Amino acid sequence: MHDLHGVALIAVVAVVTMLLRFIPFVIFGRSKTPDYITYISSILPYAIMGMLVVYCVKDVNIAAAPHGIPELIAGGVVVGLHIWKENTLLSIVTGTIVYMLLIQFVF
């Protein structure tokens, strides 16, 4: 009975995922992508990254030690590494490692 439930659950998740992937093609067909979709797809990644940065630093208390220094250093590492290597994944992973090392061993 449990095996049937698991299989049914996976089937439903697979169907919903496929429908979500196929709906844009059904709606727009093979015609030219509308301008507003192109605009949103060019702006959305930057907006999401901005929201994530705000979320990550919203609770930083600059009035109390360590005054946001680990966040500032890690953010600088992310920005500098991204400008240098232009690799988003490398920048984010390295910045995360630097931040964790700073808060565990330095501050």
Side-chain angles (χ1 to χ4, degrees):
M1 185 66 176
H2 291 291
D3 290 337
L4 182 61
H5 177 72
V7 170
L9 183 64
I10 291 171
V12 169
V13 169
V15 168
V16 169
T17 301
M18 287 188 330
L19 283 174
L20 290 173
R21 304 273 186 218
F22 296 149
I23 285 174
F25 295 104
V26 171
I27 292 173
F28 299 121
R30 296 217 180 251
S31 64
K32 180 184 177 293
T33 305
D35 291 337
Y36 65 93
I37 297 294
T38 304
Y39 173 74
I40 289 174
S41 68
S42 68
I43 297 300
L44 202 53
Y46 301 108
I48 291 170
M49 290 305 292
M51 287 174 47
L52 287 172
V53 168
V54 169
Y55 178 77
C56 288
V57 297
K58 71 178 174 48
D59 293 327
V60 173
N61 185 359
I62 60 171
H67 307 289
I69 295 171
E71 291 84 358
L72 188 62
I73 293 171
V77 167
V78 170
V79 170
L81 194 56
H82 187 70
I83 289 171
W84 179 40
K85 289 292 188 177
E86 295 182 5
N87 185 329
T88 305
L89 185 61
L90 176 67
S91 304
I92 292 171
V93 169
T94 304
T96 302
I97 291 170
V98 167
Y99 176 72
M100 295 308 291
L101 290 172
L102 287 171
I103 64 170
Q104 293 296 322
F105 298 115
V106 179
F107 293 97

